[in-house]
């Protein structure tokens, strides 16, 4: 942690750095893209800034503290309050890739607790990982993710002109059609995989077709819409593969809690995400 963080702060001393983002967020997709493309920092994409670990220049931190009213705003979560503050001062937050700290378990200091499920790191740095690059990946207009609330493929919409969060929706299928990938091609590829892969047959039995389709669609458009060169997607590094493999548990953690404890199910989900990723790369 110290070596990586020291390098990031030295390279970007003016930046706000989040040291963690949870595996089911839109920002997690940014981290996956960054890992695939060799970036060490990714712009936070959600309407909140991850606050499990956050670092900012001292003058900016003082302004943040001074902006908080003594009586507080109890209806506003801390992560959204910081996002609002940073938007107001024009300072977007960046997440370190890999993450440098972990959120262990499903307990919460701010009241989220069990309703949000386990929120692990999208990609935690491991011994042997290279020191991350200080290159920054900017958030595009659409960032796909698997919504943990509904186990459904979803999109974070960004206002590119202002560089801020706009909204999110579940219109992934229609957006894929508009970008040249037909629903028929997605379904045919999934059906072929389900019919021919042992992991596919097991997953359809365990999750049902609908959930399996939503996960396949999410992983496919994550590759299709990645704002990095296609060549970078074809051979993921071990770290990038670890990041891709958190997509399924991050999105299914509340709908299918067995993903947290069933190693066989996790292995099958990893296989599905890999196959859908390959489909997306081939159809860019």
């Amino acid at each position: 942690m110290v070596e990586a963080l020291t390098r990031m702060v030295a390279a970007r001393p003016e930046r706000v750095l989040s040291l963690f983002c949870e595996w089911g967020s839109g920002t997690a997709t940014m981290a996956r893209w960054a890992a695939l493309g060799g970036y060490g920092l990714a712009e936070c994409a959600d309407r909140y800034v991850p606050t499990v670990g956050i670092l900012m220049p001292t003058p900016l931190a003082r302004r943040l503290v001074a902006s908080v009213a003594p009586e507080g705003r109890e209806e506003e979560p801390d992560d959204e309050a910081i996002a609002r503050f940073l938007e107001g001062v024009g300072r977007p937050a960046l997440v370190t890739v890999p993450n440098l700290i972990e959120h262990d378990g499903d307990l919460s200091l701010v009241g989220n607790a069990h309703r949000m499920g386990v929120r692990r790191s999208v990609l935690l740095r491991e011994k042997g990982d290279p020191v991350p690059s200080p290159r920054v990946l900017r958030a595009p207009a659409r960032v796909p993710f698997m919504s943990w609330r509904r186990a459904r493929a979803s999109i974070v919409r960004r206002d590119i002109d202002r560089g801020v969060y706009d909204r999110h929706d579940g219109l992934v299928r229609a957006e894929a059609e508009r970008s040249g990938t037909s629903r028929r091609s997605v379904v045919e590829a999934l059906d072929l995989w389900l019919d021919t892969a042992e992991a596919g047959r097991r997953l359809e039995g365990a999750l049902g077709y609908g959930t399996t389709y939503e996960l396949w669609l999410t992983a496919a458009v994550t590759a299709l819409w990645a704002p990095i060169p296609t060549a970078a997607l074809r051979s993921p590094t071990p770290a990038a593969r670890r990041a891709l493999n958190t997509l399924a548990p991050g999105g299914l953690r509340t709908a299918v809690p067995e993903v947290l404890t069933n190693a066989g199910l996790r292995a099958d989900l990893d296989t599905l995400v890999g196959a859908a990723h390959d489909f997306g790369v081939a159809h860019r």
Side-chain angles (χ1 to χ4, degrees):
M1 172 181 173
V2 173
E3 178 189 15
L5 186 56
T6 299
R7 176 168 177 157
M8 290 301 173
V9 173
R12 307 286 182 182
E14 78 289 358
R15 293 294 190 174
V16 177
L17 303 181
S18 285
L19 312 186
F20 163 91
C21 72
E22 64 102 336
W23 53 3
S25 60
T27 301
T29 298
M30 290 296 304
R32 293 183 184 104
W33 284 340
L36 285 160
Y39 295 83
L41 294 166
E43 190 172 9
C44 294
D46 299 291
R47 67 179 176 185
Y48 62 89
V49 170
T51 55
V52 175
I54 189 167
L55 181 147
M56 65 181 69
T58 304
L60 188 63
R62 289 188 176 126
R63 290 178 64 183
L64 170 63
V65 173
S67 73
V68 179
E71 66 275 12
R73 292 175 52 160
E74 295 182 3
E75 77 282 2
E76 186 176 32
D78 63 304
D79 48 9
E80 293 183 22
I82 290 183
R84 176 177 55 80
F85 168 78
L86 294 177
E87 180 179 335
V89 298
R91 301 286 287 275
L94 307 176
V95 63
T96 57
V97 182
N99 291 173
L100 302 181
I101 59 173
E102 178 65 286
H103 183 295
D104 194 13
D106 62 349
L107 300 179
S108 171
L109 292 174
V110 294
N112 293 323
H114 305 289
R115 68 183 181 87
M116 295 180 69
V118 174
R119 286 151 289 147
R120 293 273 166 77
S121 165
V122 58
L123 173 64
L124 187 64
R125 189 163 191 243
E126 294 183 353
K127 290 182 179 179
D129 285 347
V131 175
S133 163
R135 295 170 61 215
V136 177
L137 180 65
R138 304 294 180 189
R142 59 189 179 190
V143 180
F145 71 107
M146 183 80 169
S147 171
W148 58 267
R149 296 179 186 276
R150 299 180 295 166
R152 182 180 178 186
S154 302
I155 304 173
V156 170
R157 304 281 185 177
R158 300 275 302 172
D159 182 333
I160 295 301
D161 292 335
R162 297 174 55 223
V164 297
Y165 169 90
D166 181 23
R167 67 189 190 281
H168 69 264
D169 61 52
L171 305 178
V172 179
R173 184 180 68 188
E175 189 74 18
E177 291 269 9
R178 282 193 292 270
S179 61
T181 304
S182 68
R183 181 185 182 220
R184 179 176 179 177
S185 68
V186 174
V187 170
E188 287 180 347
L190 171 59
D191 288 350
L192 177 63
W193 185 79
L194 291 174
D195 289 341
T196 58
E198 291 185 12
R201 290 190 288 273
R202 288 192 296 265
L203 281 178
E204 187 173 7
L207 304 181
Y209 187 86
T211 300
T212 305
Y213 168 79
E214 294 293 335
L215 181 59
W216 178 277
L217 178 61
T218 303
V221 297
T222 297
L224 279 164
W225 300 343
I228 57 178
T230 300
L233 301 171
R234 290 198 177 105
S235 300
T237 65
R241 183 64 67 187
R242 296 202 317 268
L244 290 173
N245 288 347
T246 61
L247 191 159
L252 298 177
R253 64 184 190 245
T254 56
V256 188
E258 306 92 270
V259 300
L260 303 172
T261 56
N262 188 323
L265 178 60
R266 283 284 290 273
D268 287 345
L269 289 168
D270 293 348
T271 303
L272 179 148
V273 169
H277 174 83
D278 292 343
F279 166 83
V281 173
H283 285 74
R284 281 167 66 91

